[in-house]
Amino acid sequence: MKSWLGSAGICFNEKNELLMVKCHGSEEWAVPSGGIEEGESPEECCLREVKEETGYDVSIIEQLLVKETSIKGIEVKTYYFIVEKVGTSTGIQDPDGIIAAAAWKSLPEVKTMSHTYPEDLDFLLKQFNRR
């Protein structure tokens, strides 16, 4: 069976808003994430993907969980990290050209928006309460 490894960054700003991205042609939002490249650690992947998709440099605070699921016959394992932004965004630099927007979302917005990964919603809402 095929497998895919990825990392995701969960980043809040000083207003307790969550950094999220959406793809072109979609109204669904997700936290920045992407696939781990050869020779890359999950932590390195997280830092790179957040930078590419949002323009923010971040530092990792802690690993939260590893989500294991199966999507269309592919075993998917995603490492989720709490990260902290460093400085300001230099703009989206997504080499795949799929990210249309990056934005800070408040708790009420996150509760009511469409999510790319609806199964992550409860977990994301808990992160607001941890701060």
Side-chain angles (χ1 to χ4, degrees), residues 14-53:
E14 49 289 335
K15 296 189 229 160
N16 201 30
E17 294 169 325
L18 179 63
L19 185 58
M20 300 191 78
V21 295
K22 71 171 184 164
C23 296
H24 290 285
S26 171
E27 288 310 308
E28 296 178 339
W29 292 80
V31 293
S33 64
I36 298 174
E37 295 178 351
E38 201 173 322
E40 199 174 44
S41 70
E43 291 82 0
E44 289 166 339
C45 173
C46 177
L47 299 177
R48 178 181 54 75
E49 288 291 344
V50 173
K51 176 72 172 177
E52 287 176 358
E53 296 188 358

Side-chain angles (χ1 to χ4, degrees), residues 70-83:
S70 180
I71 300 173
K72 295 177 186 158
I74 299 170
E75 290 295 311
V76 174
K77 185 189 270 192
T78 310
Y79 296 83
Y80 284 77
F81 296 94
I82 285 271
V83 300

Side-chain angles (χ1 to χ4, degrees), residues 54-90:
T54 71
Y56 283 101
D57 285 304
V58 294
S59 57
I60 289 175
I61 298 173
E62 65 174 305
Q63 182 175 323
L64 282 175
L65 89 158
V66 179
K67 179 173 87 174
E68 297 195 52
T69 184
S70 180
I71 300 173
K72 295 177 186 158
I74 299 170
E75 290 295 311
V76 174
K77 185 189 270 192
T78 310
Y79 296 83
Y80 284 77
F81 296 94
I82 285 271
V83 300
E84 192 169 59
K85 71 180 173 74
V86 181
T88 56
S89 171
T90 53

